[in-house]
Amino acid sequence: MLTATLIAISFSIGFFIESIIGFGGGLIAYSFLGFFIDFKMMILAGLYIGTLSSAYIISTDYKSFDKKTFKSAILLSLVGTIIGVIFFTKFSSAILTKLFAFLLIILSIKILFFDKYIFPKFFKQKLILLGGISQGAFGVGGPFWVSALQKDFQNKSNLRTTMAAFFFGFNIIRFIELYFENQLDLEFFLDISWTILPVLIAIKLGHKVHVRINENYFKKGIAIITFLAAIKFIVM
């Protein structure tokens, strides 16, 4: 019960902020949750909550979905996701923790110092692939996808809903691949099934303010929390 409560609190905070800026829910939740539970268990909790919360975001704002942008990145994202899941299944929690810490450091530096930087066009495809790998292994492909595609979105609502479509679609791929690798524990998902309820409430609240708030403060806060979490994962 304590584990489920920690999962509910961490992901409610994370997805409240994700509803405002379009990504970062998993990063924030993992930054807190990693202090308390096993790394792979944490990622699987994120898979469950991330899939349902993304479905909710799509269903409540489906008109903002950018089909063209989604289609442009679907193939590389799919390849990356499959590779990422293989990493998750083949590597131990200890190795994955260090890889994740390295990823967090890169992302925190990007958000803090290069948030407005537009990557060259030739680098776009590499970022999309990296987003897929990060999504498959850790469920946090959003920062890479946003960096690659942000110029293609007309507004924050387009970004928010289309990113939710990325998360939902490629999480389904993760579920299928993990099922055939015998990595899914039905009892664990039943134990945490109720945790999606407070997360959905947090998403609803975040959506009410996301069109009126300056998200830069939240991004900087995410970057600082992410960097501190990375240091913690490194010394574990």
Side-chain angles (χ1 to χ4, degrees), residues 109 139 160 204-205 215 226 235:
I109 292 173
R160 176 179 178 269
K204 183 69 173 179
L205 293 174
E215 71 268 24
T226 299
V235 301

Side-chain angles (χ1 to χ4, degrees), residues 69-85:
T69 301
F70 182 81
K71 288 176 64 177
S72 71
I74 191 170
L75 182 59
L76 280 175
S77 297
L78 176 61
V79 172
T81 298
I82 293 172
I83 294 171
V85 174

Side-chain angles (χ1 to χ4, degrees), residues 73 75-84 87 102-103 106-107 119 123-148:
L75 182 59
L76 280 175
S77 297
L78 176 61
V79 172
T81 298
I82 293 172
I83 294 171
F87 286 168
F102 179 69
L103 175 66
I106 293 175
L107 293 176
F119 287 94
F123 201 52
K124 180 177 179 177
Q125 304 303 313
K126 296 179 177 62
L127 285 172
I128 293 172
L129 180 63
L130 283 172
I133 294 172
S134 181
Q135 184 68 22
F138 308 116
V140 290
F144 292 105
W145 285 327
V146 170
S147 294

Side-chain angles (χ1 to χ4, degrees), residues 25 27 41 55 89 116 126 135 140 143 153 165 175 183 219 231:
L27 286 177
M41 181 186 293
T89 58
K116 301 299 183 182
K126 296 179 177 62
Q135 184 68 22
V140 290
F153 296 114
F175 265 118
Q183 295 286 318
K219 287 184 178 180
I231 300 302

